[in-house]
Amino acid sequence: MKSFRTIMAAGLAATTVLSMAACGSGTSSDEGTADNPVTINVWAWEPTLTPVAKAFEKKYPNIKVKITNAGTAQKQYTAINNALQAGKGAPDVAQIEYFAVPQFVLQNSLKDLSEFGADKFDGYYTPGPWASVTYGGGVHALPIDSGPDAMFYNKETFDKAGVTEAPKTWDEFYEAAKKLRAIGAYITCEPANIAVTEAWIWAAGGKAVTADGENVTINYVNDPIAQQYYVFMQKLIDEDLIDTKLTMWSEEWYKALEDGSLATITTGAWMAAMLKDGVPTGAGKWRVAGLPQIDANTDGNGEDGGSSLAVLEGSDKASAAYKFVEFAAHDREGVKIRIDKGQFPADTETMSDEQFLTKTDSYFGDQKYQDVLVEGAKKVGTQWQFLPYEVDARTRFGDYIGKASSGEITYQEGIEQWQESLIQYGNGQGFKVTAGQ
């Protein structure tokens, strides 16, 4: 069985090979010249980085940026790992979601940006994103956006069902679901979505993971708040109040959003831009509200998504790569480009800007929706931790909760089986993993 130390050594060996392949006999950092500009390779799925790259090239004409969509999230992470293991083909810069940062840090795959002065940005970003990119010490990436949870809802569908206000609690969410089902709509979909599950438990004050180096405790099964969430979800499934067949990002999902048969999405703040781009026919119909709370006495929130830009350890253009990361994540010009195109910020400066807070949008019925999202960002609990192998954990979730969605097992049983698989996997990777009591 591999030890935690062996995992670290293996990761370092992989990046050493990559560094040798990438650097050869050249320098470890190269920002190019007017006669010989350098090109940095950026792997990212976020479309607003394209105009950011164009602005960056105007400011730094000796550095060219090639952006490649190597696949969204999990697909890109797999491609990066494959390149690292092969010792060739990895990008200079990669977009990495916050939950995935620990896994890449433990593989020694990300450069510590402190050597470029990134550590001086402590306090510039909101606590959640900054804590994520500084996991394990050092600064392993810079935040480019954040995903405080919110509820995006179709007011037109709500009105048809007689739901006069956005539900503020789980009980109100359940009552709204019944009214919506009576007119043939579903309030939400995909109970086997790990990001949604984590965010709702997180917002309610739960804590399912405690990780300290190689020591990991997983308590998805016995955490009392998590257990209440499973009972809640089971009720929605049993009473056919949640669409168990529809999955996010599918063609059918977009169609349901367009025709109003799917009334809400509970997800990260970035969904505002995604809705506007993906469901243009919804203009004027959608609104934004806070995530429903476990009860009227709770006022918390969780995160769903949000991402950072990291420089890969093996890059032979690390200095040039970092300049792009800083421009996109910290330079006001780069940040403003992404915010103006609808992305939700991770920096406190933008979140306190009056123009940003009071901006209205006709898509959301001229609602000052940014204010709602910023308030949600302020409420994100600091108790939550991700697994140091969260990327792998998320790929397993649907295998077990999918059975609960179809009625083969209960939601609680699915969680129990999933947690057991996480314990076995983690121990097999050299961690010391136990179940919470």
Side-chain angles (χ1 to χ4, degrees):
M1 180 180 293
K2 299 178 182 178
S3 69
F4 178 74
R5 186 174 297 175
T6 301
I7 293 173
M8 297 289 284
L12 181 59
T15 38
T16 300
V17 171
L18 178 60
S19 299
M20 294 173 64
C23 298
S25 59
T27 61
S28 61
S29 177
D30 186 353
E31 296 180 29
T33 64
D35 295 330
N36 187 28
V38 299
T39 298
I40 58 171
N41 290 302
V42 178
W43 283 9
W45 59 85
E46 219 299 301
T48 63
L49 286 173
T50 298
V52 168
K54 291 180 180 179
F56 173 82
E57 289 176 339
K58 289 182 179 179
K59 186 172 182 178
Y60 299 96
N62 298 341
I63 306 174
K64 305 302 178 184
V65 181
K66 179 183 178 182
I67 297 181
T68 300
N69 186 340
T72 302
Q74 179 61 43
K75 291 181 179 179
Q76 178 177 286
Y77 304 150
T78 299
I80 290 174
N81 281 326
N82 289 341
L84 290 173
Q85 291 175 13
K88 61 181 179 179
D92 299 292
V93 176
Q95 180 180 359
I96 300 177
E97 292 165 287
Y98 299 128
F99 75 80
V101 169
Q103 189 157 327
F104 283 101
V105 170
L106 289 175
Q107 293 172 338
N108 294 306
S109 301
L110 307 182
K111 199 164 189 66
D112 184 353
L113 304 182
S114 298
E115 67 178 85
F116 302 107
D119 52 326
K120 67 179 180 289
F121 298 148
D122 186 9
Y124 177 78
Y125 300 101
T126 53
W130 184 249
S132 296
V133 300
T134 54
Y135 173 90
V139 182
H140 306 290
L142 288 184
I144 56 173
D145 53 32
S146 61
D149 247 58
M151 185 176 72
F152 298 83
Y153 68 98
N154 189 318
K155 186 176 184 302
E156 183 177 84
T157 302
F158 269 34
D159 289 344
K160 289 179 181 177
V163 180
T164 57
E165 293 184 358
K168 295 182 176 61
T169 65
W170 292 9
D171 286 342
E172 290 179 10
F173 191 83
Y174 168 70
E175 294 300 327
K178 290 193 292 184
K179 291 180 179 180
L180 287 161
R181 198 70 196 100
I183 65 167
Y186 282 103
I187 196 165
T188 190
C189 71
E190 200 175 9
N193 187 321
I194 177 58
V196 174
T197 298
E198 287 186 338
W200 280 61
I201 296 171
W202 184 348
K207 183 176 181 179
V209 173
T210 300
D212 181 14
E214 65 182 20
N215 299 306
V216 180
T217 301
I218 305 179
N219 199 26
Y220 275 100
V221 170
N222 292 322
D223 179 87
I225 289 175
Q227 288 180 333
Q228 291 182 64
Y229 177 77
Y230 308 147
V231 171
F232 174 64
M233 289 302 298
Q234 190 67 56
K235 182 164 64 171
L236 294 179
I237 293 170
D238 290 344
E239 298 182 27
D240 188 33
L241 299 179
I242 183 171
D243 193 328
T244 59
K245 298 181 175 62
L246 203 59
T247 57
M248 287 182 70
W249 315 118
S250 66
E251 183 177 340
E252 294 77 15
W253 180 74
Y254 278 109
K255 183 179 179 181
L257 295 176
E258 288 174 351
D259 64 23
S261 59
L262 185 64
T264 80
I265 314 170
T266 59
T267 190
W270 42 264
M271 182 53 73
M274 302 295 286
L275 265 177
K276 292 170 65 177
D277 290 341
V279 192
T281 56
K285 300 176 183 178
W286 287 83
R287 302 289 187 274
V288 186
L291 189 72
Q293 302 293 306
I294 189 171
D295 55 45
N297 297 318
T298 305
D299 192 21
N301 203 13
E303 292 260 5
D304 183 350
S307 56
S308 62
L309 289 179
V311 177
L312 272 292
E313 182 63 48
S315 173
D316 62 346
K317 305 162 190 170
S319 181
Y322 175 73
K323 284 186 179 298
F324 176 72
V325 170
E326 183 173 323
F327 182 82
H330 186 267
D331 187 287
R332 293 316 302 169
E333 181 183 2
V335 171
K336 189 174 186 301
I337 290 171
R338 300 188 72 251
I339 300 307
D340 287 348
K341 291 188 175 296
Q343 289 304 310
F344 191 74
D347 67 283
T348 56
E349 185 174 337
T350 302
M351 288 192 192
S352 60
D353 181 76
E354 190 66 20
Q355 185 176 359
F356 175 76
L357 293 172
T358 58
K359 180 182 178 181
T360 61
D361 194 312
S362 59
Y363 188 92
F364 296 105
D366 291 325
Q367 177 188 11
K368 296 177 183 178
Y369 73 97
Q370 300 283 31
D371 190 34
V372 177
L373 299 175
V374 169
E375 284 302 308
K378 295 177 181 178
K379 298 174 182 177
V380 173
T382 58
Q383 86 285 2
W384 192 264
Q385 283 186 278
F386 291 114
L387 284 165
Y389 47 95
E390 182 81 14
V391 175
D392 293 292
R394 291 194 171 203
T395 64
R396 299 162 176 267
F397 190 74
D399 295 338
Y400 299 96
I401 307 305
K403 296 178 182 178
S405 300
S406 63
E408 296 179 49
I409 58 177
T410 66
Y411 205 95
Q412 177 73 29
E413 289 170 338
I415 292 293
E416 291 171 359
Q417 293 176 17
W418 176 60
Q419 176 169 297
E420 182 58 32
S421 78
L422 297 182
I423 293 172
Q424 292 180 8
Y425 176 83
N427 285 324
Q429 294 298 307
F431 295 94
K432 297 177 181 178
V433 190
T434 57
Q437 301 301 315

